[in-house]
Amino acid sequence: MMDNLQLWQRYQDWLYYHEGLGLYVDISRMGFDDDFYNNLQPKFVDAFEAVAKLEQGAIANPDEKRMVGHYWLRNADIAPNQEIKKEINDSLTKIKAFATDIHSGKITTPNGEKFTDLLSIGIGGSALGPQFVSSALTTTHPPLKIHFIDNTDPAGIDRTLAEIGDKLKTTLVLVISKSGGTPETRNGMLEAKKAYEDKGLNFSDYAVAITMMDSSSKLYKVAQEDKWLECFAMFDWVGGRTSELSAVGLLPAALEGIDIQGMLDGAREMDIATRIPDVKKNPAALLALGWYYAGNGKGEKDMVILPYKDSLLLFSRYLQQLVMESLGKEEDLDGNKVYQGIAVYGNKGSTDQHAYVQQLREGVANFFVTFIEVLKDRAGNSLELEPNTTSGDYLSGLLQGTRKALYDNGRDSITVTVNEVSPKIVGALIALYERAVSIYAYLINVNAYHQPGVEAGKKAAASILDLQQKVLEVVKSSNNSLTITDIASKVDGQEIEAIYKILRHLEANNRGITLKGDRTMPSKLIVNYHQ
């Protein structure tokens, strides 16, 4: 354990500051030494080179033969060809013009009313990014108030639609799906469409698609055939978890009145900083260094994100997908079984002083913390609750106190500090962590832009729905009561547990199924069907 003067020197040795953004990265409370840092240098050399090739248009997803170009979104001039550069610039121009026309009333509802609300329908990266940015940057009275359908939960959909209520007739709908084949998004779209129809409204007059604008997208086909209000392009070289600075995130943000150019400017400025092939001068590389040390290059410790600002509450959820979907891989680039990843969770300070910081300080040391510090407390002056002490002073003191308490008990932490939560800073934070993920992925030799586990889950869900259709056919065609074993023998004897759970769900939702008998012995239940 270092004394205060030694810590002060280490803090200065490892502190990064970006003057243009007013952003600090401090990894001094991570316990690595100079030997660890020096031994990792060859890996960083390779990682910097690999990320540079990525930006230049190298194929990053071999299964789909796709480039990864989210960096180009904030600087079209570095795109690998003129066609992509034009796509980016045209898309941004179209987004800004559409938002202006909605705000001014040039584009209205069929009754000539201005739109008041916005319903965004998407899942994963098509929801988490827009939700984070909205929570961080939306003003108290935005030009359009945003609502989200981000799951296929019927009760959740009902709740969102109930919140909109009578304003549905002045609510613009964004449907966000690259292929149009994502079931959760399609389901949300169909539920919303019915809600409009129930009120005598033509859904197409309110609907906007964000999708691939070609024959590969079912959503694009629907939008064209039904003459939706507008359609915005998604690009095959942008993955969902890195799509916030594409139309996926920029369009809803612009409609909410958020300065999207500021977000792009901040991301572009951060991209310049994180291209520097020198770890100490590259904030993303410093984060990657801290992650590698904390988890021994194997993800052995969880990443706990603690933003000390209410507006950044959803940052941990956003990072959860970005980090875990990118790094959670069974195989490395050489085909070896490695089971990589970093688990991410978080809440906010100082809420966590009264929640799980007790375990962080004294419980199992299976984590490292990232504090997100915001220097500016609020617009205007703060009330002095005590002489020379404001509520913001308490918040700052709690952050510093928690950081010290964790260090004193051998817990590692990183601190990222910004002056305020602004569009430019939010864009910079997005870019910072996107690059940190890329660099770290190359340090541990995994493909950050390939996600076979996600596709496996989708296929498994589809097989359950297919099994449900078969179960219903058997039950409906039988004139007698059946056991679950009887049904399984006619459908798939290996999936008897899944069949039981399907039947239980159908019964709970009054879908014509009743189960009679001892619920603790599912195999003895009697299954009946009624119209």
Side-chain angles (χ1 to χ4, degrees):
M1 185 73 65
M2 296 183 181
D3 63 30
N4 286 342
L5 288 178
Q6 289 173 318
L7 272 178
W8 171 237
Q9 187 57 52
R10 180 173 172 82
Y11 175 76
Q12 294 179 86
D13 289 344
W14 286 100
L15 181 65
Y16 170 86
Y17 177 63
H18 190 291
E19 186 172 0
L21 294 166
L23 178 144
Y24 302 79
V25 173
D26 163 29
I27 63 168
S28 65
R29 267 40 173 194
M30 302 299 287
F32 63 89
D33 57 21
D34 288 345
D35 285 344
F36 177 87
Y37 170 66
N38 292 329
N39 289 336
L40 208 55
Q41 287 307 299
K43 286 182 178 290
F44 271 108
V45 171
D46 292 342
F48 289 138
E49 183 179 342
V51 175
K53 289 179 179 177
L54 194 76
E55 275 197 316
Q56 293 162 12
I59 297 298
N61 191 329
D63 289 353
E64 299 172 325
K65 301 293 189 294
R66 286 180 178 173
M67 299 181 288
V68 173
H70 50 275
Y71 301 113
W72 312 329
L73 294 168
R74 44 265 199 172
N75 184 2
D77 290 338
I78 68 169
N81 58 58
Q82 290 299 310
E83 180 183 358
I84 291 176
K85 177 180 177 179
K86 186 176 187 303
E87 286 177 339
I88 295 168
N89 288 332
D90 288 353
S91 176
L92 184 58
T93 298
K94 185 176 177 181
I95 289 167
K96 291 178 177 179
F98 183 77
T100 297
D101 289 347
I102 291 289
H103 295 159
S104 68
K106 184 176 180 179
I107 297 175
T108 66
T109 72
N111 293 327
E113 296 179 89
K114 291 182 71 172
F115 286 102
T116 61
D117 289 68
L118 180 65
L119 174 59
S120 179
I121 303 174
I123 193 167
S126 296
L128 289 167
Q131 287 169 338
F132 160 55
V133 168
S134 177
S135 175
L137 297 174
T138 302
T139 60
T140 306
H141 302 291
L144 271 71
K145 181 180 179 181
I146 196 166
H147 312 265
F148 293 94
I149 292 177
D150 65 352
N151 200 0
T152 187
D153 173 13
I157 293 170
D158 289 346
R159 183 174 183 175
T160 297
L161 292 173
E163 288 173 354
I164 296 172
D166 291 337
K167 286 191 174 183
L168 197 70
K169 62 185 175 61
T170 55
T171 297
L172 187 70
V173 183
L174 303 183
V175 183
I176 309 171
S177 175
K178 180 176 280 189
S179 67
T182 306
E184 297 94 332
T185 304
R186 180 208 60 195
N187 296 354
M189 177 191 74
L190 294 175
E191 294 258 12
K193 183 178 181 181
K194 183 179 185 302
Y196 278 82
E197 291 172 347
D198 287 348
K199 290 185 177 292
L201 303 171
N202 179 19
F203 181 69
S204 298
D205 293 333
Y206 298 81
V208 174
I210 303 177
T211 188
M212 293 279 291
M213 292 177 62
D214 58 39
S215 60
S216 69
S217 170
K218 297 176 184 177
L219 178 58
Y220 181 65
K221 184 178 180 181
V222 169
Q224 293 294 104
E225 291 179 351
D226 293 350
K227 295 181 172 55
W228 283 18
L229 197 57
E230 191 54 272
C231 190
F232 290 83
M234 293 178 77
F235 308 122
D236 68 352
W237 37 265
V238 176
R241 57 191 174 280
T242 56
S243 65
E244 175 54 28
L245 297 179
S246 72
V248 169
L250 295 181
L251 180 59
L255 289 166
E256 291 176 87
I258 293 168
D259 175 15
I260 62 172
Q261 189 59 55
M263 289 172 61
L264 291 167
D265 291 346
R268 184 171 60 251
E269 199 162 346
M270 180 57 73
D271 284 342
I272 293 169
T274 56
R275 286 190 193 105
I276 296 172
D278 181 332
V279 175
K280 287 194 171 185
K281 296 179 181 178
N282 183 324
L286 288 170
L287 291 181
L289 171 64
W291 300 355
Y292 195 98
Y293 168 76
N296 196 26
K298 299 175 183 177
E300 292 174 356
K301 292 189 177 181
D302 302 341
M303 184 190 305
V304 182
I305 305 293
L306 297 182
Y308 276 64
K309 204 68 173 176
D310 287 359
S311 61
L312 296 179
L313 170 63
L314 297 185
F315 194 39
S316 61
R317 284 190 67 201
Y318 171 76
L319 291 181
Q320 199 168 56
Q321 183 190 19
L322 176 64
V323 174
M324 295 179 72
E325 191 172 339
S326 298
L327 302 179
K329 301 296 157 65
E330 181 176 348
E331 296 182 352
D332 66 12
L333 292 170
D334 301 316
N336 301 309
K337 300 286 186 182
V338 291
Y339 302 105
Q340 277 284 2
I342 300 176
V344 179
Y345 64 94
N347 199 341
K348 66 178 180 180
S350 66
T351 299
D352 298 288
Q353 313 300 132
H354 308 281
Y356 53 72
V357 165
Q358 166 65 29
Q359 177 169 316
L360 296 185
R361 187 175 191 277
E362 298 185 8
V364 58
N366 63 343
F367 67 92
F368 64 98
V369 169
T370 300
F371 294 101
I372 309 294
E373 178 183 26
V374 181
L375 296 177
K376 189 173 182 179
D377 291 336
R378 57 157 48 109
N381 297 323
S382 287
L383 172 71
E384 288 194 2
L385 308 174
E386 300 160 12
N388 301 313
T389 308
T390 68
S391 55
D393 296 337
Y394 270 98
L395 190 65
S396 178
L398 286 164
L399 185 157
Q400 292 186 55
T402 303
R403 175 175 175 269
K404 182 179 188 304
L406 292 178
Y407 176 78
D408 288 346
N409 219 26
R411 271 59 170 161
D412 290 321
S413 71
I414 296 169
T415 303
V416 176
T417 301
V418 297
N419 190 55
E420 61 182 339
V421 180
S422 66
K424 189 174 184 179
I425 287 299
V426 167
L429 287 173
I430 289 170
L432 172 64
Y433 276 86
E434 285 178 348
R435 184 84 66 165
V437 163
S438 287
I439 294 172
Y440 181 82
Y442 286 115
L443 290 180
I444 62 172
N445 197 39
V446 301
N447 188 338
Y449 304 103
H450 184 219
Q451 50 279 345
V454 176
E455 298 306 315
K458 291 178 180 179
K459 291 176 182 177
S463 70
I464 292 295
L465 293 172
D466 181 60
L467 182 61
Q468 177 175 304
Q469 297 300 324
K470 294 176 181 177
V471 167
L472 282 170
E473 288 174 10
V474 169
V475 175
K476 288 179 180 180
S477 64
S478 176
N479 295 321
N480 303 313
S481 297
L482 300 169
T483 66
I484 293 171
T485 304
D486 293 333
I487 297 169
S489 68
K490 297 174 185 292
V491 179
D492 187 339
Q494 300 300 311
E495 294 290 346
I496 191 165
E497 183 178 322
I499 291 169
Y500 161 63
K501 291 184 174 181
I502 287 168
L503 292 166
R504 189 176 62 179
H505 178 255
L506 292 171
E507 180 191 40
N509 288 280
N510 301 314
R511 303 277 288 280
I513 298 294
T514 56
L515 303 175
K516 294 183 178 179
D518 184 354
R519 297 273 171 165
T520 66
M521 294 293 292
S523 62
K524 295 184 178 181
L525 291 173
I526 301 300
V527 182
N528 289 302
Y529 177 76
H530 56 87
Q531 294 287 352

